[in-house]
Amino acid sequence: MCWSAEADLVAGAVVTGLGVACLARVRDPRRLPLALLPVVLGLHQLVEAVVWSGAEGRVGADTATAARTAWAFIALPLLPVLVPFGVRCAAPPGAARRRAGWALVLGAAVAVPLAVAVLGGPVTARVRGHTLAYAVGVGPVVLLTAGYLLATVGSLLTAADRTLRLLGVLVGFGAVVCAALWRLEFASTWCALAALASVVLVGWSGGGRGPARAEGPI
């Protein structure tokens, strides 16, 4: 997610710290799943520091393999389930919760083949300029990518909460920019996007006043 092992270590420590602050601010237990996201993103970057070390021959083969598998599991099957689940938990009863529920179903459908591919391996990673190129044997890639984005970014964009909708816009736009820079092999800037999303979630996590009562069909 960053352009070197050292950058991943620094960014991972910062984002994990933001995640701890995010969890500490939670007053409404319905916000806990999304408040956990920055911790997951921070750990993801710390894991990638080990992946970089493996690609550069600084750690053993078994350690590098475990790090690549852990990185891919977080990036691929975990996030399309965690994000819509968090949005659904935080949503008030009604249409917004139903929309997030459908996004969660889609995310789970995408996560199953991705988890099978990651756990079945192999997950590879090679250095391309200032980026890492990961490869996992899975298909159809276009359909899975579309489902992944609808489950993650889509659930945020259709959330009832205005801050989460803003987060969806930032993540969607940021993902396009990061993907373009990654393809150019200029630098992997996903860590900056993770930090930005974490800052937004730190502010959001302290809102709410406790569980809401159901006033309609869920």
Side-chain angles (χ1 to χ4, degrees), residues 72-102:
F73 188 85
I74 294 171
L76 299 178
L78 179 59
L79 290 181
V81 173
L82 176 59
V83 173
F85 175 72
V87 173
R88 187 183 189 280
C89 288
R97 185 174 291 183
R98 290 194 293 274
R99 288 194 300 269
W102 282 112

Side-chain angles (χ1 to χ4, degrees), residues 101-124:
W102 282 112
L104 176 57
V105 170
L106 177 60
V110 168
V112 170
L114 291 175
V116 170
V118 170
L119 297 177
V123 178
T124 63

Side-chain angles (χ1 to χ4, degrees), residues 46-202:
L46 295 175
V47 168
E48 191 177 68
V50 183
V51 176
W52 270 105
S53 296
E56 295 168 349
R58 292 187 281 163
V59 299
D62 290 344
T63 300
T65 297
R68 290 194 301 269
T69 301
W71 186 96
F73 188 85
I74 294 171
L76 299 178
L78 179 59
L79 290 181
V81 173
L82 176 59
V83 173
F85 175 72
V87 173
R88 187 183 189 280
C89 288
R97 185 174 291 183
R98 290 194 293 274
R99 288 194 300 269
W102 282 112
L104 176 57
V105 170
L106 177 60
V110 168
V112 170
L114 291 175
V116 170
V118 170
L119 297 177
V123 178
T124 63
R126 63 184 180 86
V127 178
R128 286 195 335 165
H130 298 290
T131 70
L132 283 174
Y134 292 88
V136 180
V138 65
V141 174
V142 174
L143 286 177
L144 290 174
T145 301
Y148 187 105
L149 293 174
L150 285 172
T152 52
V153 179
S155 64
L156 293 169
L157 289 174
T158 58
D161 188 287
R162 182 171 61 181
T163 302
L164 293 184
R165 293 197 301 272
L166 171 63
L167 178 61
V169 172
L170 293 174
V171 169
F173 178 75
V176 172
V177 174
C178 290
L181 293 174
W182 178 83
R183 286 187 176 278
L184 292 172
E185 302 181 17
F186 174 73
S188 182
T189 53
W190 296 98
C191 51
L193 181 58
L196 177 60
S198 298
V199 169
V200 173
L201 286 172
V202 168

Side-chain angles (χ1 to χ4, degrees), residues 21-28 31 35 200-210:
C22 201
L23 291 172
R25 284 174 51 83
V26 171
R27 295 186 296 169
D28 185 342
R31 299 193 173 208
V200 173
L201 286 172
V202 168
W204 171 85
S205 64
R209 296 172 180 260

